[in-house]
Amino acid sequence: MTTIKPLFIRTSNGILNASAGTTVVHFEDATLILDAQCRKIIFDNSEKSHELFEKAKQRVKPQKDYSIVLENGGFIDVRIIKNTFVSPKTGHLLVIGLNERPLCIFDKEQYSDISGLSDAITDVLIDISDDKKVSAIQWAEYQK
């Protein structure tokens, strides 16, 4: 994780320092920032969550050797991924964190090739495990 500038966020309980974030994701009008231990720094589902996401992407950068960069510019630190799988109930591809909660959900309605996307993510994770350079996922190849 590389922080360009500190990122302090005003909350109803005071102020949070999100600079220690290693994972920044935005989904379903919510922004989630997690630290290197998969602990929540902030979960924002307010009308300003997208604004927070855009600011976080500018201030906190993914760690080059250990991040999956998502199509929207968010990123997941692979060291906090517990598992990935296609849900037999929904058909969505789920990325689950060490905290047993979804880090990211890839909707089968948005991605026409969930199996191919699952394989691409698996390949990235295996490459990282084998000390190979992380390759970018070509998200458009799997979308409808």
Side-chain angles (χ1 to χ4, degrees), residues 23 56 89 129:
T23 296
K89 270 185 163 180
S129 296

Side-chain angles (χ1 to χ4, degrees), residues 26-28 71-72 91-93 104-114 117 139-144:
H26 182 78
F27 55 92
E28 297 181 6
E71 180 186 24
N72 64 4
H92 302 326
L93 173 58
C104 200
I105 300 171
F106 298 98
D107 191 317
K108 71 177 184 178
E109 300 304 319
Q110 184 180 358
Y111 294 90
S112 59
D113 186 3
I114 287 288
L117 181 57
W139 300 100
E141 292 180 15
Y142 309 101
Q143 291 181 324
K144 289 188 174 183

